Amino acid sequence: MRALAGRSARERSGLLLVEGPQSVREAVRFAPERIRDIYVTDGARVAHPEIVDEALEAGLYVHPVTDEVAAALSGDAQGVTAVLTRDPDAGLESLPAAPSQVLVLSNVRDPGNAGAAIRVADAAGADAVVLAGDCVDVDSPKVIRSTAGSLFHLPVLRGGPLGDVVDALRKRGVAVLAADVSGQRELGQATSSLVAESHAWVMGNEAWGLSAEELALVDEAVRIPIRGRAESLNLATATAVCLYARVLG
């Protein structure tokens, strides 16, 4: 199980590690068919009885473990750990037929940023998240933990090159927007018609944003207005601003 912290072990075994009560609880509720085993300490069983009760009701294997074993399995799981099979249907073919809003992460490398962005997409009611280009592995324990369970609430797909993702979105009638400082228009009233229709937001790498080649693929680049002296917003905050432009009208 400890080896599942590494990408190669996950790819060889087809398994992944889910750590902590929040993520394991949401996996039990929304993806029970993928759960192989759940490991719970006595303390965690007392603190989170609903996890054990719902898991047993679903016919899942729940194994009691000592605090020492739990710490060996994961140093940050609060006594609750699960092993799941990797999602076999996590490609572009699983995009919804008529999505209203999609988040695309292009070359996002930091697991905490990727997980936080997936959590934002879930909160904003996005229909799917697509990881394009050389993104962090969505099955990384750090990504899963950062989503706080949102990974199991909506499709999170591996999309390959950004061009392939854009083509798949356009075939579904989705306008593709990019959040970038080069945008001719600011996000706001001037762009309200864009977010009222079926659309996707492309968010770029944390350090260098979107390249000229990536920007050439989208329908329009839109910049987030910054009124103060901050140079920029972090990825999760920028994602929230863009996705909630539709929610808040």
Side-chain angles (χ1 to χ4, degrees):
M1 285 179 62
R2 290 191 66 173
L4 294 176
R7 186 168 190 163
S8 60
R10 294 193 296 272
E11 291 176 346
R12 285 196 308 270
S13 66
L15 301 173
L16 57 87
L17 191 65
V18 178
E19 304 168 308
Q22 176 65 19
S23 293
V24 173
R25 181 188 300 110
E26 298 309 291
V28 169
R29 291 176 176 173
F30 293 93
E33 72 285 351
R34 293 176 54 195
I35 296 178
R36 285 268 301 262
D37 296 278
I38 299 174
Y39 300 85
V40 184
T41 63
D42 289 342
R45 182 184 288 262
V46 172
H48 308 285
E50 76 286 355
I51 296 176
V52 175
D53 293 344
E54 292 178 26
L56 292 175
E57 186 176 346
L60 303 176
Y61 293 104
V62 180
H63 307 278
V65 294
T66 64
D67 292 340
E68 291 78 10
V69 170
L73 296 176
S74 169
D76 192 27
Q78 301 174 56
V80 186
T81 311
V83 174
L84 275 67
T85 58
R86 302 183 81 193
D87 186 354
D89 301 317
L92 283 178
E93 63 278 1
S94 296
L95 265 175
S100 60
Q101 187 177 55
V102 175
L103 172 64
V104 180
L105 302 177
S106 182
N107 296 304
V108 171
R109 308 286 178 81
D110 183 87
N113 286 338
I118 292 168
R119 186 177 182 181
V120 167
D122 178 25
D127 297 294
V129 177
V130 183
L131 279 68
D134 187 16
C135 273
V136 65
D137 182 10
V138 72
D139 293 333
S140 159
K142 290 183 179 179
V143 174
I144 297 171
R145 189 163 58 246
S146 297
T147 71
S150 288
L151 182 68
F152 306 111
H153 297 167
L154 76 170
V156 180
L157 311 175
R158 304 171 186 89
L162 182 59
D164 292 349
V165 176
V166 171
D167 288 345
L169 290 167
R170 287 191 176 130
K171 288 177 182 177
R172 289 162 171 78
V174 178
V176 183
L177 311 175
D180 193 80
V181 294
S182 67
Q184 293 292 311
R185 293 194 287 174
E186 284 188 347
L187 181 65
Q189 187 173 3
T191 55
S192 59
S193 61
L194 292 175
V195 297
E197 304 296 332
S198 177
H199 67 281
W201 281 105
V202 180
M203 313 299 292
N205 176 272
E206 301 91 340
W208 60 79
L210 294 165
S211 67
E213 292 77 11
E214 289 172 312
L215 289 170
L217 296 171
V218 307
D219 297 311
E220 182 171 351
V222 179
R223 70 181 186 276
I224 298 172
I226 294 180
R227 300 293 184 251
R229 297 179 180 177
E231 180 185 6
S232 62
L233 299 174
N234 66 28
L235 178 69
T237 303
T239 299
V241 169
C242 292
L243 294 185
Y244 270 91
R246 167 176 165 265
V247 176
L248 300 176

